[in-house]
Amino acid sequence: MLLMEGEATDRVHGDIVRRDALFQAVLRRGLKLTTDLDHLSLLPTPGWRTGIDRLGAVTVQWPHFQPLLKKLLMGMSAAWITAASGHGIVLLFVGSGFGLYEHAGVGMPCREDRVAGIAHNGALATSIAPFQRTGGG
């Protein structure tokens, strides 16, 4: 599982910060709105792929001319890499309200009940994305 959230400045509407910017962007590019974690779609979304290179840098390709993440060192555990490699897929969770930015560097994980609440509130998009290890680095 790869959990992501992101915000951006909305220059069209007075430079306000949109805390749900990444969530809205991925919905427009095919990820599915998910309101119940017990009923996830297990079909890959066309145009989405994930990979990790020999140095541990993660890349997420999406239906856009540039990758969503490109060779980002995220400190993925060996167990995560082994599981993703063994299954050949990664479950993508993109939402708004996880608190990932607020807890960056503190080591506080986003608990499953928080993810379920975000889904219930209509602020979670999910998909399965093919995964592969690459030789680059």
Side-chain angles (χ1 to χ4, degrees), residues 41-88:
S41 172
L42 299 178
L43 298 174
T45 302
W48 287 80
R49 296 184 318 276
T50 58
I52 195 164
D53 67 19
R54 61 182 173 78
L55 299 177
V58 174
T59 296
V60 176
Q61 300 282 347
W62 62 332
H64 193 271
F65 63 92
Q66 292 183 359
L68 179 58
L69 301 176
K70 184 176 182 181
K71 295 186 178 185
L72 181 63
L73 288 170
M74 297 175 60
M76 300 309 238
S77 70
W80 185 93
I81 295 168
T82 299
S85 296
H87 294 290

Side-chain angles (χ1 to χ4, degrees), residues 93-131:
F93 280 71
V94 182
S96 177
F98 294 132
L100 297 177
Y101 178 77
E102 290 86 350
H103 301 298
V106 181
M108 293 181 63
C110 185
R111 297 187 342 250
E112 185 176 337
D113 60 338
R114 177 125 190 206
V115 175
I118 290 168
H120 180 74
N121 290 333
L124 182 68
T126 63
S127 181
I128 300 292
F131 175 86

Side-chain angles (χ1 to χ4, degrees), residues 26-49:
V26 301
L27 285 175
R28 287 190 300 273
R29 290 194 166 57
L31 265 62
K32 304 293 183 238
L33 177 65
T34 302
T35 58
D36 184 352
L37 296 181
D38 291 330
H39 298 94
L40 297 175
S41 172
L42 299 178
L43 298 174
T45 302
W48 287 80
R49 296 184 318 276

